[in-house]
Amino acid sequence: MTVKILLVARDAAFRERLRMALERLEASGETVEFHEAADGNRAMAMAGQVHPDLVVVEIGVSPYGGFGLTRDIKAFDDLTCPVVVILERPQDEWLGRWSGADALVNRPVDPFALAQVARRLVEEQRTGETLGTSAPDVASA
């Protein structure tokens, strides 16, 4: 089965590192299809077209930031995908929770932790059950 992942980050090199980490899903038998956006406006347009299974958002994305983008994705009726927010600072966890993020990952990003969180969220999305708690996961390096 193909997993569609939307990566949203300003820096192309950072998106590449996220892609490399999430390619680990292929090791579990999934085919991963990546879509990328460097800004929030493009990300919203792509999400509406692609209907991703997972969105990974860096908080520094402009024009309105990763938290605002997460809220917009969660409010979009046609999208039901989980969103992982990459935090710059651990003290911003409350903003991630406020935005509706399904998981929070602190920088520097641990690729193994990100892949594990992504795998769990995709499995939950497919089965319709929540395997974790109601509060978003927080993964640290």
Side-chain angles (χ1 to χ4, degrees):
M1 183 170 229
T2 301
V3 176
K4 294 182 280 186
I5 300 176
L6 175 58
L7 303 175
V8 188
R10 292 171 295 192
D11 181 40
F14 186 63
R15 289 193 308 271
E16 174 67 22
R17 288 191 299 275
L18 293 175
R19 190 178 328 108
M20 288 172 52
L22 294 169
E23 284 174 345
R24 296 179 185 285
L25 293 175
E26 291 179 339
S28 64
E30 303 288 349
T31 301
V32 181
E33 179 182 302
F34 290 101
H35 301 271
E36 298 183 19
D39 66 70
N41 290 334
R42 180 74 182 127
M44 278 304 296
M46 287 183 80
Q49 294 169 351
V50 172
H51 295 277
D53 298 302
L54 178 71
V55 177
V56 179
V57 178
E58 170 193 40
I59 65 158
V61 169
S62 43
Y64 49 92
F67 299 123
L69 176 59
T70 300
R71 295 232 3 130
D72 285 356
I73 288 171
K74 291 300 197 172
F76 198 119
D77 290 336
D78 290 343
L79 297 176
T80 59
C81 63
V83 178
V84 176
V85 174
I86 307 292
L87 298 174
E88 296 281 335
R89 309 173 313 168
Q91 60 265 37
D92 288 337
E93 286 179 16
W94 73 272
L95 285 167
R97 294 176 198 286
W98 168 82
S99 71
D102 296 282
L104 307 169
V105 176
N106 291 314
R107 276 193 158 188
V109 175
D110 176 342
F112 297 103
L114 177 59
Q116 181 180 23
V117 167
R119 183 175 292 114
R120 183 187 57 78
L121 290 172
V122 168
E123 287 174 8
E124 287 178 1
Q125 181 73 8
R126 283 199 182 134
T127 63
E129 13 179 300
T130 302
L131 303 174
T133 63
S134 59
D137 287 339
V138 179
S140 298

